[in-house]
Amino acid sequence: MFSLPRPALAPNTYAYETQPLVKPTGFREYDARWLFGSEINLMGVQALGLGLGTLIRERGVQPEIVVGHDFRAYSASIKHALANGLMAAGIRVHDIGLALSPMAYFAQFALEVPCVAMVTASHNDNGWTGVKMGVNRPLTFGPGEMARLKQIVLSGAGIARDGGSYRYVPDFPEIYIRDLTDRPKLKNPIKAVVACGNGTAGAFAPRILETLGVEVVPLDCELDFTFPKYNPNPEDLEMLHAMRDAVLASGADVGLGFDGDGDRCGVVDNHGEEIFADKVGVMLARDLSALHPGATFVVDVKSTGLFITDPVLIANGAKADYWKTGHSYMKRRVNESGALVGFEKSGHYFFNTPIGRGYDDGLVSAIAILDMLDRNPGRSLADLKDALPKTWSSPTMSPHCADETKYGVVNAVVKHFEAMQARGDTIDGQKIRDLVTVNGVRVTVEDGSWGLVRASSNKPELVVVVESPVSEARMRDMFALVDGVLRTHPEVGAYNQSL
């Protein structure tokens, strides 16, 4: 149907307007991400839709799909190009319009449609676009599906078929909002700063939480796809600091921040202190394991070691399963294992039955945090946080590393620490207690301090996290160790943020 996609084309040329541009590196481990214009064009998006439709047909599932788009200047155009390609492959398209990613996942259940393609750049800078895809609710693509999709698209193996159609689903957000709010209101008064970074969640989050009885203090909830203050990313300190200031100014009980497509929630306590998402996960695990003794929680390798060592979780019989970072990996592990919840340090939480449907939804996460506060009257969020054993943790730090080289660098780092362990080498006088290599390498020494290096799944970056249960100095020691190894690789650039 189309000519073979090209890996590069010059804009403002005849070729750019008549050939599909699809840079191969945009097919990542479980998402598809490109810089729109320079790495993919609209015809390339159509080729992507044709390839996805062909894959759906290959899998033998019902040829129907939900599509939606986030609030970016170009997302609607990209979604319609994708829908054109899907229809060309004979797929019936159900368009829910402007949406959060979890709204699209919910639509698979509400509309009884097996497949989803959500056009979103998530928290990435403007200029980026991408698609979160799945053909088996509530799961999204893993490496196998992405590899096959990449093969179909880049080899021009997409097959055009009759039978495609388009249906716009009017007012679908109302169905989603009713699903989240059809429950009892909170028993106790709670004031919450609701921060959306001018992203898509601003259209929905304040209303949903107000309906549940929350006194909402809106922060940057007006939709503005230029993101005039900062990217909507509650893992970045800039957004967390804005939430802190709003909490302190308003006297709120909690600050809740949502990313660009609404599948993550960041938290600031009543003292204005940001709580990293893995620590919030431990707090929620404590709360939920009291209601569900013996529950299993899947935890990504970037997360705190408290999921194993916390005495309350041990007393409640809770079990921790450390697994690969990435919403697709975590979602699949939670659903296949029957875990109650999956917690990822980035803020993706996966609430399984009876709390959720197994996919990541920042609003479901926010409601779980509010329910935890509601079940603990007289105890502030800071009180609940301070009740945890003390650890010193870094934010997620990401040094630049090109997509073409990042996996090779990580493999070399893994081999470096494996060789150290095999030789019995010590780190600051301590032996290596444990190496977890399911996703990069997480090296833990005898005092429980650890450092992680892995490749980012959706950007040309590495990911570095360190933690110590001993002291801030030990945390900084672990960072110096990990960074020292990375600095032996000239391909590794500057950090986006650091200690």
Side-chain angles (χ1 to χ4, degrees):
M1 181 174 178
F2 298 110
S3 59
L4 283 178
R6 302 285 297 276
L9 288 170
N12 196 25
T13 62
Y14 179 81
Y16 189 90
E17 291 300 314
T18 57
Q19 297 181 50
L21 164 65
V22 183
K23 188 177 180 182
T25 54
F27 295 95
R28 303 175 186 270
E29 286 184 47
Y30 46 80
D31 287 338
R33 296 277 175 90
W34 291 274
L35 283 166
F36 180 54
S38 61
E39 296 182 351
I40 195 167
N41 62 6
L42 288 176
M43 188 171 284
V45 176
Q46 285 181 287
L48 176 67
L50 180 67
L52 177 57
T54 299
L55 179 59
I56 290 169
R57 291 285 191 172
E58 277 187 1
R59 294 299 170 100
V61 299
Q62 179 183 333
E64 298 193 49
I65 192 167
V66 170
V67 299
H69 70 280
D70 68 1
F71 194 74
R72 307 264 179 161
Y74 43 81
S75 290
S77 298
I78 291 169
K79 180 191 67 180
H80 289 302
L82 184 73
N84 283 340
L86 287 161
M87 288 187 287
I91 307 300
R92 297 188 289 278
V93 175
H94 302 260
D95 183 358
I96 61 171
L98 180 67
L100 305 172
S101 289
M103 193 182 296
Y105 304 149
F106 167 70
Q108 293 176 270
F109 292 87
L111 303 178
E112 297 186 359
V113 173
C115 306
V116 67
M118 175 68 192
V119 173
T120 177
S122 188
H123 63 276
N124 283 19
D125 297 343
N126 268 321
W128 285 93
T129 190
V131 187
K132 294 180 177 178
M133 295 167 276
V135 296
N136 180 23
R137 64 190 182 203
L139 306 181
T140 44
F141 278 2
E145 294 97 339
M146 287 303 299
R148 178 56 183 149
L149 178 63
K150 178 179 181 179
Q151 182 183 43
I152 293 170
V153 174
L154 298 184
S155 68
I159 299 173
R161 292 181 172 89
D162 294 333
S165 63
Y166 175 88
R167 169 199 175 210
Y168 183 77
V169 184
D171 300 322
F172 186 78
E174 298 302 317
I175 302 172
Y176 171 75
I177 291 169
R178 282 198 301 272
D179 182 71
L180 289 182
T181 57
D182 184 18
R183 46 155 284 167
K185 288 190 175 184
L186 300 169
K187 296 183 179 68
N188 299 293
I190 298 177
K191 180 190 283 191
V193 168
V194 177
C196 298
N198 302 112
T200 320
F204 312 109
R207 177 181 165 191
I208 288 169
L209 299 184
E210 283 175 346
T211 301
L212 295 177
V214 177
E215 181 184 348
V216 169
V217 180
L219 176 65
D220 302 322
C221 292
E222 305 82 8
L223 299 189
D224 185 343
F225 50 58
T226 67
F227 304 146
K229 297 181 179 178
Y230 44 76
N231 272 5
N233 182 7
E235 198 177 10
D236 284 353
L237 294 179
E238 191 173 7
M239 185 171 182
L240 287 167
H241 289 167
M243 292 164 60
R244 171 199 63 197
D245 295 343
V247 165
L248 294 175
S250 65
D253 300 297
V254 61
L256 301 168
F258 300 92
D259 71 336
D261 64 333
D263 55 13
R264 293 189 292 128
C265 178
V267 180
V268 166
D269 71 15
N270 50 296
H271 293 161
E273 297 290 332
E274 58 265 19
I275 313 176
F276 293 133
D278 55 343
K279 298 291 181 64
V280 177
V282 176
M283 294 158 66
L284 287 169
R286 280 182 160 196
D287 180 61
L288 293 170
S289 62
L291 302 174
H292 305 274
T296 295
F297 300 99
V298 177
V299 186
D300 84 314
V301 293
K302 292 196 299 181
S303 291
T304 177
L306 287 176
F307 284 99
I308 289 177
T309 61
D310 177 58
V312 173
L313 293 181
I314 292 171
N316 290 344
K319 304 173 186 67
D321 174 20
Y322 280 85
W323 195 240
K324 298 179 183 180
T325 292
H327 69 84
S328 180
Y329 295 128
M330 292 286 292
K331 204 170 336 193
R332 190 174 299 271
R333 187 74 166 184
V334 167
N335 281 271
E336 290 178 349
S337 69
L340 183 63
V341 192
F343 296 112
E344 193 176 15
K345 187 178 173 68
S346 65
H348 288 278
Y349 294 164
F350 310 85
F351 290 90
N352 218 340
T353 305
I355 305 167
R357 295 180 177 85
Y359 53 78
D360 39 342
D361 186 332
L363 278 154
V364 172
S365 302
I367 292 168
I369 293 163
L370 294 166
D371 281 337
M372 176 178 65
L373 285 171
D374 204 38
R375 281 191 283 267
N376 288 274
R379 300 183 73 191
S380 69
L381 191 60
D383 292 335
L384 297 174
K385 176 194 72 178
D386 291 342
L388 298 178
K390 178 68 174 175
T391 67
W392 288 261
S393 306
S394 75
T396 299
M397 302 172 287
S398 299
H400 180 80
C401 193
D403 288 320
E404 293 84 352
T405 60
K406 64 187 182 185
Y407 292 103
V409 170
V410 169
N411 287 339
V413 173
V414 171
K415 291 177 181 177
H416 172 88
F417 284 113
E418 286 177 337
M420 286 187 67
Q421 186 182 44
R423 292 191 303 265
D425 293 351
T426 60
I427 296 171
D428 296 328
Q430 299 193 42
K431 291 182 179 179
I432 295 174
R433 188 185 79 193
D434 186 41
L435 286 181
V436 177
T437 58
V438 295
N439 189 202
V441 61
R442 174 170 167 149
V443 54
T444 305
V445 297
E446 289 175 299
D447 69 2
S449 302
W450 60 267
L452 169 80
V453 178
R454 58 177 290 272
S456 170
S457 300
N458 51 36
K459 293 181 77 174
E461 295 175 342
L462 302 181
V463 174
V464 175
V465 182
V466 293
E467 180 185 62
S468 175
V470 178
S471 67
E472 180 180 352
R474 287 292 296 125
M475 174 191 71
R476 292 182 178 276
D477 288 345
M478 288 303 297
F479 175 66
L481 165 77
V482 169
D483 186 58
V485 175
L486 290 179
R487 291 304 139 199
T488 65
H489 298 274
E491 306 96 322
V492 180
Y495 287 84
N496 65 334
Q497 57 185 355
S498 186
L499 294 178

